[in-house]
Amino acid sequence: MAELDDCDTTFQTFILVRRLSPWRIGLYAGPNFAYCGTWENTFGPNKRDNTLYNGAGFNITANADYYLTPATRRLRFGLGAALGYGNYITRSIYRDYLYSLAAARGFNSSQVTIRQRASEDMFLTVGPVLQFTLARSRKNPDAVTFIEAAARGGLFRTEAATISAYTPSTLTLPAVPSFVDGGGLIRSVNPSSNLYHLGALGSLAIFFPLKNNWNIGLQGQGFITKLNYLIINGVDDQVYEFKRKHGGFTVGLAVRKGFVQKKLIPKAPVSCPTCEQIPELNVQFNGASLKGASLAYTDGTNAPVNTAAAAPVISWRSTTPNPKNETFTARLYYRPDSVVAGNTDQVIAQLENTTDTSLPFPAAYFSNGQLNPGFYYVTVHNKQTAKCGTCMSEVVTTSFSSVRPRNIVQPECEYRHRLERLEVYYRTPYTREIANVCYCNGTVTSVGDTVTRLRYRGLNRRLADNVVEFDTNTVILNLNELPGGLAQQLQAEKAKIESGNAIRFKGRRVRPQVQYFRAVFTVTKLPCNGQPEQTVGSFNTTISDNSYTITDLKPLTDEQKAKLLAPPAPAKKKATRRRAGNSGKRSDVMFGVE
């Protein structure tokens, strides 16, 4: 069925429908074969009709059917009528039989005259008809390949064959019209005056589509009825009336013709969907509305929680009057309550273009009667589809959250410090020795001045052979907070360095003096609040000598760290330099690590 669009105008009050008519007509033609009373007489080795010897003929049948089932159905049921004509020509073997009767009376075949007329059947039947569709064309759904079966019953008019054998030379009759034209009668078969009987007609066919709703196919059919006829025996001039079963079967070509009808069907005016109404959204939890609510997440504390509570129920209902093909799209979003780089809103449940009116809450976000901590919000909108267009409503939304109570103190994260090198830098005065120069004549002469200078030295005794690890709750490393005796040893080192012998320098006594400490360490954040272990970084730190607090902090690359942790190269012994006069004065400062 094909229809015009039913949304051309909101004032349209009818639909023009084009579809197959329930009526169909057909025509069949093919050779006709007689049923000789029994199966054995019809198909056995001695095919004979006891009295008529009906042979082959032809059959033509016209039919008109009305189907009660629409053409879109695969199996269709209808009622039909069939009007037909068939005949049977007497087989030649019956002529031989008549000649044998004449010979028994002393006549040869040349003296015998035979006249005959074929048996004829006319019928009008009605009954049910079935059609089963085998295949349907994609381009034209009306073009189908189908099987048709019909069983009909009705009135049959049957005239038996007229067959007469007589001998014109043996009897002279008056010159009046006569079938035998004078002569002695051998045998005569004639129709009875009782020509009408009830009978049944059955057919089975397969049809293939042509154009314009024409179908052609192969059909087989058969019928059964009764037959009355008279036999006049010329020997004893007796008249006998017979009544017996009569029928036949035929196979041949058939055609069917369908029709297309157009009808105006009244309809109520319609309008295109506008989607002005939005769905009504509801979220229920523990028997109360969850829209805009915040729930306390206990996080394992002893706060009262209904552990047997079911998950929240997200549902909605349509508020659209007279919707057309309305569907809904719903999504549930989630945002964690922890601030982590890259966190975005996640779609944790959704339904698209569905007729359902509820969205299941995901089990991964609900356990022990409470929601995972975070922010949740739901969006729902509807969509309608019609021939004149598609529309979508505005989005209705609501939100709710599960938060940790403020009185719950989050565990403090710990940081592991791996102290890989620690040095102390101090300034100390020293006296440059006077070099003695020996001459070839055996005299010794002093060369150069006695000069007191200051230089920096580095000390790294504690961490020369191992690494120290310790955990604190801060990233900043202050030596006065170090666990164990490391800070005390540094204080003892400082006291030991600064208690050295004093010498005079520029008119005053000067002792060694600690300037600062330097440390190289790596910081790692231990697993905390569900987050894995993370490396913070490696640092080169300068620490004051009196307060033991950081005065400079610089991140280290892997290359810089490796360079600082490399062991010092072995010092090469320098050859003694000898200078003449006072030209050996130096005022520079030396840096090194002992």
Side-chain angles (χ1 to χ4, degrees), residues 43 48 170 365 414:
F43 300 101
R48 68 183 183 87
T170 61
Y365 292 82
E414 289 190 343

Side-chain angles (χ1 to χ4, degrees), residues 17 23 33 79 86 101 106 118 124 146-147 158 168 188 271 384 466 476 559 580 587:
V17 178
W23 287 100
F33 303 94
L79 296 174
L101 292 179
L124 176 62
F146 61 90
I147 294 176
T158 303
S188 175
S271 60
Q384 295 187 70
N466 54 17
I476 304 301
E559 183 180 355
S587 60

Side-chain angles (χ1 to χ4, degrees), residues 6-276:
D6 61 350
C7 286
D8 291 343
T9 172
T10 57
F11 302 104
Q12 183 177 341
T13 58
F14 59 87
I15 303 175
L16 180 61
V17 178
R18 178 188 177 275
R19 60 188 175 188
L20 278 179
S21 169
W23 287 100
R24 187 166 63 196
I25 61 174
L27 186 65
Y28 164 80
N32 207 11
F33 303 94
Y35 172 72
C36 299
T38 65
W39 180 271
E40 180 67 23
N41 289 342
T42 304
F43 300 101
N46 299 317
K47 302 180 180 63
R48 68 183 183 87
D49 189 325
N50 288 335
T51 54
L52 297 179
Y53 285 85
N54 285 335
F58 75 94
N59 182 282
I60 181 169
T61 304
N63 66 282
D65 303 320
Y66 183 89
Y67 284 91
L68 305 176
T69 309
T72 55
R73 300 284 183 84
R74 189 166 192 179
L75 179 63
R76 302 181 65 191
F77 173 79
L79 296 174
L83 175 66
Y85 168 82
N87 63 15
Y88 300 102
I89 300 174
T90 304
R91 291 199 293 266
S92 60
I93 191 174
Y94 194 63
R95 297 173 67 89
D96 298 336
Y97 171 70
L98 295 177
Y99 287 136
S100 66
L101 292 179
R105 297 176 63 179
F107 299 102
N108 56 40
S109 59
S110 62
Q111 296 176 294
V112 178
T113 299
I114 297 177
R115 289 193 174 183
Q116 64 180 19
R117 182 182 58 82
S119 171
E120 293 182 332
D121 299 282
M122 297 184 67
F123 53 86
L124 176 62
T125 58
V126 294
V129 58
L130 290 177
Q131 172 188 315
F132 181 77
T133 301
L134 298 177
R136 191 181 298 271
S137 173
R138 293 183 179 180
K139 295 182 179 180
N140 181 12
D142 295 340
V144 295
T145 299
F146 61 90
I147 294 176
E148 180 188 277
R152 300 180 174 96
L155 188 64
F156 284 74
R157 184 185 187 280
T158 303
E159 285 194 46
T162 299
I163 309 173
S164 297
Y166 59 94
T167 56
S169 61
T170 61
L171 181 63
T172 302
L173 295 178
V176 296
S178 172
F179 180 78
V180 296
D181 294 333
L185 178 66
I186 302 298
R187 189 180 183 90
S188 175
V189 179
N190 300 281
S192 169
S193 60
N194 190 4
L195 301 178
Y196 294 94
H197 297 87
L198 296 179
L201 175 70
S203 64
L204 180 66
I206 182 170
F207 290 94
F208 304 92
L210 298 175
K211 293 183 178 181
N212 299 325
N213 295 307
W214 281 95
N215 291 77
I216 189 170
L218 185 65
Q219 178 173 328
Q221 70 180 35
F223 74 94
I224 187 73
T225 185
K226 291 183 178 181
L227 171 66
N228 290 68
Y229 59 96
L230 302 174
I231 295 180
I232 304 175
N233 191 348
V235 177
D236 52 11
D237 296 327
Q238 295 285 335
V239 177
Y240 303 95
E241 184 173 1
F242 294 88
K243 182 179 181 180
R244 67 173 180 84
K245 294 179 181 180
H246 172 64
F249 57 92
T250 176
V251 177
L253 293 178
V255 291
R256 294 291 186 269
K257 169 61 177 175
F259 304 94
V260 175
Q261 66 177 10
K262 296 180 180 180
K263 297 180 66 175
L264 290 177
I265 299 178
K267 62 176 293 292
V270 297
S271 60
C272 291
T274 57
C275 294
E276 295 177 352

